[in-house]
Amino acid sequence: MKGKFIVLEGPDRCGKSTQAKLLYNYLLEQGADVVLTREPGGTPTAEKIRQILLEPELDVRPVAELLLYEASRAQHTQEKIIPALHEGKIVICERYTMSTAAYQGYARGLDLKMIETLNKIATTGLKPDLTLVFLMSDKYFSSRGEYLFSDRLEREDKEFRDNMRQGYKNLVSRTENAYLLDADTDVDMIHHKVIDLLKAHHITDLCLSVKS
Ligand SMILES: Nc1ncnc2c1ncn2[C@@H]1O[C@H](COP(=O)(O)OP(=O)(O)OP(=O)(O)O)[C@@H](O)[C@H]1O
Ligand SMILES: [Mg+2]
């Protein structure tokens, strides 16, 4: 495919949206044709599925949840990501297959092989050209954003977050073109590391070809 597919990954509040916007603006300034999107969601149908997934009152069982994520991904991949890549665009996506393996697999305990199979079906085998995983220490978790947690909830969630974080590390170690970035450092420093990785992977070459 002519375009390049960049995925930003990591636990809640690690800075994905912050970095995605900075990267989007940087690439626009460089003259690239760039699309910023996210999962779950990214198209009208997939955003409807997102609403179900993010509705706390609904009873959604773990396997149903997994299938909803994959349904959203299948729609998003076919309707938006693949066509944009065919047109030579750079697609930046917040969360993709690795989130499902980290959350539904490592943290919730669903079978990783099953998740891998479903990811392949939903993506039709599409793989990111670059996956950037932002990991921050747990001590920063409650201080980022406007969320407030009771001690009990925070303790219960900690095991989930630890499993997910370990899951991300395992996944990065066996995924091509995937990198861990320290999300504890400041926003600009992280942004510069992101740009360095894009350059190292020749993704910024697309900007120059658009410009000339
Ligand atoms: N490197 C950083 N250092 C300190 N604070 C940060 C950093 N990056 C982002 N933040 C702040 O942390 C909060 C969460 O950031 P952001 O929304 O980018 O994370 P996210 O990974 O997209 O979260 P979510 O998973 O909820 O979508 C925001 O208030 C943001 O301003
Ligand atoms: Mg976000």
Side-chain angles (χ1 to χ4, degrees):
M1 261 178 277
K2 285 192 291 175
K4 294 284 181 188
F5 185 28
I6 305 166
V7 171
L8 306 191
E9 280 284 358
D12 294 349
R13 284 180 265 162
C14 65
K16 298 177 295 299
S17 299
T18 305
Q19 293 301 326
K21 274 181 213 118
L22 284 172
L23 179 58
Y24 177 76
N25 289 332
Y26 169 86
L27 290 170
L28 276 186
E29 276 168 23
Q30 301 299 311
D33 210 348
V34 51
V35 173
L36 177 57
T37 189
R38 66 166 182 190
E39 289 213 346
T43 74
T45 306
E47 288 288 333
K48 289 251 183 209
I49 300 171
R50 179 188 177 94
Q51 282 169 18
I52 299 173
L53 284 163
L54 300 187
E55 172 57 72
E57 304 299 317
L58 280 182
D59 177 354
V60 181
R61 303 298 161 102
V63 174
E65 182 188 53
L66 169 64
L67 294 170
L68 285 168
Y69 277 113
E70 298 294 1
S72 161
R73 178 161 305 136
Q75 184 69 32
H76 185 214
T77 302
Q78 286 170 40
E79 186 183 338
K80 190 167 177 182
I81 300 173
I82 289 179
L85 293 172
H86 276 305
E87 287 167 17
K89 295 179 180 170
I90 298 176
V91 177
I92 305 167
C93 185
E94 291 180 50
R95 298 194 179 284
Y96 202 57
T97 49
M98 204 181 268
S99 279
T100 314
Y103 279 74
Q104 275 66 46
Y106 282 96
R108 245 198 247 305
L110 294 181
D111 183 64
L112 282 164
K113 283 266 166 243
M114 170 176 72
I115 292 173
E116 207 177 300
T117 303
L118 290 170
N119 273 339
K120 270 197 193 127
I121 295 168
T123 60
T124 60
L126 176 71
K127 289 194 177 127
D129 294 290
L130 189 62
T131 304
L132 305 173
V133 180
F134 304 100
L135 281 189
M136 66 176 180
S137 328
D138 206 62
K139 62 183 176 192
Y140 291 116
F141 182 75
S142 353
S143 62
R144 285 200 187 172
E146 63 280 7
Y147 305 78
L148 285 173
F149 289 87
S150 74
D151 285 346
R152 187 186 61 80
L153 258 181
E154 210 164 351
R155 267 202 305 276
E156 276 180 8
D157 281 353
K158 188 167 182 319
E159 192 187 344
F160 185 91
R161 293 198 301 274
D162 286 346
N163 290 338
M164 186 191 0
R165 194 178 290 116
Q166 188 54 48
Y168 269 122
K169 288 181 184 165
N170 295 353
L171 290 159
V172 166
S173 70
R174 57 184 162 87
T175 305
E176 242 183 297
N177 303 323
Y179 297 87
L180 280 180
L181 287 99
D182 178 3
D184 291 350
T185 54
D186 82 61
V187 170
D188 286 336
M189 206 185 285
I190 299 168
H191 176 59
H192 284 112
K193 284 203 176 136
V194 169
I195 303 298
D196 286 345
L197 283 166
L198 260 79
K199 286 181 179 161
H201 284 259
H202 302 287
I203 295 174
T204 42
D205 294 0
L206 275 186
C207 304
L208 301 174
S209 70
V210 171
K211 260 184 157 179
S212 59

